[in-house]
């Protein structure tokens, strides 16, 4: 396996409670089948998490082959980063484990713990060098209004972290809902922090919560796009 | 869960859980016993980070790190988990100590000087420790030393910073990339110092502006220390600048011990330890 590979991820930032369209977990499952990892980060109000919201957030990540987490105030950036890098490491570990099983007929579990370090070093190196294309999907529905500043800061913090890696990192930003209650593209793939910072201020929360449609929209962005398209936008 | 037994799949060793010691990003630590000896058992799902920590301590063993004895897998509720067995450090966590009594300038300098020495050791080995915070520092009462208890944030120089605490993080303050380099470590050490001396409240945190923080600090620290902070925040100080700066402030305060630099470092370290121990005695 060479380090010149690109992994595709979707990070959904939401307070749960999708209320328009399909079940977002189904959408995440479908997207994951195409080799995209879907992580879900919940921003919930401090006291007493809503079970339904937590279930939805965990469900998205489970079906999407990713990591989920619920954040405290001021920690979204950190959580987004650790979910992103955690899901990348998990996926690479699975791939390496599968290869080992094919070649040695035993996986990582079958290697003595003292001797696993060589494999671990290899996975660490890949995690740092792999190229990442990440679509951050921001729930800007009415219920997110008082959490928008946190969400905006979180996305910038994520890009700051990813830029510290050896591999290339590009982030695209999808928001929902538009005036017609649909997801829309705020910024195509970029690694320019300043530009992202300027654009992100424009997000104005309000409206319903079509989370499933937003996940599918993000997946299309990661999928069949010819490279030239990036430069046209 | 106290009383629970953990049996290693490969080694067959059995440990009995006494109580939980702490909970971190990747797992939890427990006080356990085996054959009447106490150990610290760190459990995690994350095989990568545990394997890495075990390997690092095993190959680089330093007095300021806990000793590591074993790495193994075990089964909990039909799920495979991983653990490492570390030395149990008897003492106090720095965060408990400073909660009990705020530190004065001399004590703060002593603590930071010790931390800087540790960071220089890591730097020589090619690593940066990116998650410096009081919770990760133990005052070892038995050996009178300051020791680090969580290596989860150690990264090779030039790598990506994975674990950090926003208050001490250079990128959070818009003072540079979140990349593990010497400047990152210098920034982190001086921000840690600032937080020891003045609590960085949410008001200042929200602004994410070091200039505002520096203005606040100018009132509650010595001129030498202020200059050092300013340089570290602006990326103009490396680790040896910080060590030399701290020593000169320290020496200024203990003129009788001023002498050759080497001698001075040792004296500073001894003085620091005496101070740390006195913090514990008077602080509790």
């Amino acid at each position: 396996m060479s380090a010149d590979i690109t992994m595709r991820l979707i990070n959904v930032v939401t307070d749960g409670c999708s209320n328009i369209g399909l079940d977002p977990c189904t959408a995440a499952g479908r997207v994951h089948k195409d080799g995209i990892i879907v992580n879900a980060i919940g921003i919930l109000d401090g006291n007493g998490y809503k079970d339904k919201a937590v279930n939805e957030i965990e469900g998205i990540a489970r079906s999407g082959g990713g990591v989920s987490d619920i954040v405290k105030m001021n920690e979204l950036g950190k959580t987004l980063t650790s979910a992103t890098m955690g899901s990348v490491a998990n996926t690479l570990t699975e791939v390496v484990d599968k290869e080992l099983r094919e070649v040695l007929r035993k996986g990582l579990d079958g290697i003595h713990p003292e001797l696993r370090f060589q494999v671990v070093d290899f996975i660490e190196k890949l995690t740092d060098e792999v190229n990442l294309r990440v679509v951050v999907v921001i729930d800007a529905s009415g219920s997110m209004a008082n959490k928008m500043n946190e969400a905006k800061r979180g996305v910038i913090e994520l890009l700051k972290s990813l830029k510290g890696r050896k591999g290339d990192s590009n982030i695209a930003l999808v928001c929902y809902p538009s005036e017609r209650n649909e997801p829309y593209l705020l910024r195509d793939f970029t690694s320019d922090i300043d530009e992202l910072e300027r654009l992100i201020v424009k997000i104005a929360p309000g409206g319903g919560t079509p989370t499933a449609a937003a996940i599918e929209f993000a997946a299309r962005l990661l999928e069949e796009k010819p490279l030239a398209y990036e430069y046209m936008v | 869960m106290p009383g629970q037994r953990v049996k290693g799949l490969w080694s067959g060793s059995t440990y009995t859980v006494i109580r939980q010691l702490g909970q971190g990003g990747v797992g939890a630590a427990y006080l356990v016993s085996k054959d009447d000896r106490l150990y610290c058992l760190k459990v995690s799902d994350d095989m990568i980070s545990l394997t890495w920590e075990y390997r690092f301590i095993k190959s680089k063993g330093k007095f300021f790190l806990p000793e590591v004895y074993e790495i193994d897998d075990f089964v909990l509720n039909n799920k495979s988990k991983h653990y490492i067995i570390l030395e149990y450090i008897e003492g106090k966590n720095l965060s408990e100590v400073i909660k009990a009594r705020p530190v004065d300038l001399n004590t703060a300098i002593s603590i930071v000087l010790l931390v800087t020495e540790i960071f220089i050791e890591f730097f020589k080995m090619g690593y940066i420790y990116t998650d410096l915070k009081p919770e990760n520092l133990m005052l070892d009462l038995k050996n009178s030393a300051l020791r680090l208890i969580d290596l989860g944030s150690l990264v090779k120089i030039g790598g990506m910073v994975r674990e950090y605490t926003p208050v001490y993080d250079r990128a959070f303050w818009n003072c540079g990339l979140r990349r593990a380099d010497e400047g990152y470590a210098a920034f982190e050490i001086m921000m840690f110092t600032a937080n020891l001396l003045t609590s960085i409240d949410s008001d200042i945190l929200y602004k994410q502006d070091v200039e505002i923080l520096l203005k606040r600090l100018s009132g509650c620290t010595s001129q030498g220390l202020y200059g050092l902070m300013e340089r570290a925040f602006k990326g103009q100080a490396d680790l040896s600048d910080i060590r030399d700066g701290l020593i000169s402030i320290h020496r200024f305060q203990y003129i009788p011990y001023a002498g050759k630099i080497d001698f001075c470092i040792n004296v500073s370290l001894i003085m620091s330890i005496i101070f740390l121990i006195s913090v514990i005695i008077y602080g509790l």
Side-chain angles (χ1 to χ4, degrees):
Chain A
M1 212 186 321
S2 107
D4 196 22
I5 45 173
T6 300
M7 289 179 72
R8 300 172 301 164
L9 296 98
I10 296 174
N11 289 336
V12 184
V13 178
T14 178
D15 60 357
C17 312
S18 158
N19 59 15
I20 297 177
L22 281 174
D23 177 3
C25 305
T26 316
R30 210 178 294 161
V31 164
H32 185 52
K33 280 210 190 78
D34 297 328
I36 295 170
I37 302 166
V38 189
N39 298 311
I41 308 299
I43 310 192
L44 303 182
D45 287 325
N47 28 1
Y49 297 150
K50 291 172 239 153
D51 285 349
K52 191 172 156 269
V54 173
N55 283 342
E56 181 177 309
I57 288 153
E58 288 174 354
I60 293 174
R62 203 178 312 114
S63 329
V67 172
S68 68
D69 207 343
I70 308 291
V71 294
K72 295 182 216 121
M73 262 332 223
N74 281 325
E75 298 221 315
L76 178 64
K78 222 179 134 178
T79 311
L80 262 176
T81 309
S82 62
T84 304
M85 295 319 296
S87 64
V88 167
N90 287 348
T91 306
L92 290 172
T93 308
E94 277 167 32
V95 173
V96 169
D97 191 62
K98 214 178 125 214
E99 289 287 315
L100 284 173
R101 274 179 215 282
E102 269 167 29
V103 179
L104 300 174
R105 306 213 168 281
K106 57 182 179 185
L108 264 172
D109 285 357
I111 300 175
H112 191 281
E114 294 242 17
L115 302 175
R116 280 176 198 153
F117 67 92
Q118 282 164 321
V119 185
V120 165
D121 275 354
F122 177 68
I123 295 172
E124 289 252 290
K125 193 167 168 289
L126 271 183
T127 311
D128 201 42
E129 291 177 0
V130 67
N131 300 323
L132 297 181
R133 285 169 85 76
V134 184
V135 183
V136 181
V137 175
I138 295 188
D139 172 352
S141 59
S143 58
M144 284 286 288
N146 57 346
K147 302 157 204 156
M148 275 327 288
N149 278 336
E150 173 77 359
K152 291 173 185 173
R153 280 154 73 103
V155 176
I156 303 295
E157 289 297 312
L158 171 67
L159 187 54
K160 279 188 195 167
S161 278
L162 295 184
K163 283 193 97 167
R165 300 174 340 110
K166 284 204 188 76
D168 288 340
S169 303
N170 283 284
I171 290 188
L173 212 52
V174 167
C175 292
Y176 65 98
S178 64
E179 275 156 28
R180 281 175 297 162
N181 268 333
E182 284 163 354
Y184 60 95
L185 180 66
L186 189 73
R187 177 65 178 105
D188 210 332
F189 291 102
T190 180
S191 59
D192 184 340
I193 293 180
D194 293 336
E195 203 199 334
L196 208 57
E197 224 160 358
R198 270 198 307 280
L199 278 169
I200 210 164
V201 185
K202 294 183 184 160
I203 306 175
T209 317
T211 308
I215 292 174
E216 279 166 355
F217 184 92
R220 279 198 299 279
L221 208 59
L222 284 164
E223 269 159 9
E224 346 106 10
K225 188 163 25 150
L227 270 172
Y229 179 77
E230 277 174 51
Y231 303 103
M232 287 159 53
V233 179
Chain B
M1 339 75 247
Q4 188 168 339
R5 284 164 178 276
V6 174
K7 189 174 177 193
L9 280 177
W10 297 79
S11 66
S13 326
T14 307
Y15 297 89
T16 310
V17 174
I18 298 173
R19 65 182 164 89
Q20 192 175 51
L21 292 170
Q23 182 102 37
V26 289
Y30 296 89
L31 175 63
V32 298
S33 71
K34 188 186 120 188
D35 303 331
D36 292 330
R37 264 196 74 182
L38 295 176
Y39 300 93
C40 167
L41 178 142
K42 216 182 235 185
V43 187
S44 178
D45 295 330
D46 188 345
M47 177 199 284
I48 295 183
S49 87
L50 275 189
T51 305
W52 199 87
E53 184 165 353
Y54 175 83
R55 179 74 189 161
F56 185 88
I57 303 178
K58 203 79 182 166
S59 60
K60 305 259 156 71
K62 289 277 170 193
F63 71 94
F64 52 81
L65 301 175
E67 281 192 65
V68 68
Y69 306 106
E70 196 180 290
I71 179 164
D72 212 335
D73 308 331
F74 73 106
V75 178
L76 182 71
N77 304 329
N78 290 323
K79 272 179 73 185
S80 167
K81 298 243 178 202
H82 315 283
Y83 73 76
I84 53 175
I85 297 292
L86 297 154
E87 172 191 358
Y88 170 58
I89 298 171
E90 276 177 71
K92 275 277 159 195
N93 193 287
L94 186 64
S95 73
E96 297 166 34
V97 175
I98 57 180
K99 242 175 248 161
R101 205 186 77 148
V103 291
D104 58 32
L105 188 62
N106 291 342
T107 315
I109 293 175
S110 309
I111 294 170
V112 176
L113 189 52
L114 285 173
V115 169
T116 308
E117 293 285 348
I118 293 174
F119 274 44
I120 288 173
E121 285 278 319
F122 280 142
F123 188 69
K124 280 190 208 146
M125 295 179 216
Y127 290 87
I128 303 286
Y129 188 91
T130 65
D131 198 11
L132 172 64
K133 57 181 172 187
E135 291 79 1
N136 286 346
L137 292 167
M138 282 291 285
L139 305 179
D140 180 342
L141 288 174
K142 224 163 106 194
N143 302 303
S144 305
L146 185 72
R147 304 177 75 186
L148 264 181
I149 50 169
D150 190 348
L151 296 190
S153 75
L154 214 51
V155 258
K156 283 207 182 90
I157 294 173
M160 171 198 181
V161 173
R162 246 165 300 175
E163 287 180 32
Y164 61 92
T165 304
V167 198
Y168 308 117
D169 168 48
R170 180 174 71 181
F172 175 85
W173 291 97
N174 295 313
C175 290
L177 276 180
R178 196 164 283 143
R179 181 175 286 155
D181 53 35
E182 195 175 1
Y184 191 93
F187 182 95
E188 175 187 27
I189 289 177
M190 292 323 288
M191 194 54 85
F192 174 79
T193 317
N195 205 23
L196 280 178
L197 294 173
T198 170
S199 72
I200 301 176
D201 51 46
S202 51
D203 221 36
I204 294 187
L205 262 185
Y206 196 78
K207 296 195 178 96
Q208 293 175 265
D209 186 345
V210 280
E211 292 298 335
I212 297 174
L213 176 66
L214 278 168
K215 218 170 264 172
R216 159 84 73 94
L217 284 165
S218 62
C220 57
T221 165
S222 74
Q223 215 170 14
L225 201 56
Y226 178 85
L228 214 49
M229 284 176 185
E230 196 177 18
R231 282 167 63 202
F233 295 165
K234 294 188 173 153
Q236 295 158 352
D238 56 28
L239 288 172
S240 50
D241 291 338
I242 289 185
R243 179 180 53 190
D244 296 347
L246 290 172
I247 287 171
S248 72
I249 299 165
H250 221 260
R251 181 160 43 168
F252 182 67
Q253 273 151 2
Y254 303 106
I255 291 166
Y257 298 101
K260 270 168 54 191
I261 282 288
D262 284 6
F263 173 67
C264 196
I265 292 174
N266 291 332
V267 170
S268 315
L269 288 180
I270 292 162
M271 291 299 290
S272 311
I273 290 162
I274 293 168
F275 264 110
L276 290 178
I277 303 306
S278 68
V279 172
I280 299 162
I281 295 168
Y282 294 116
L284 299 179

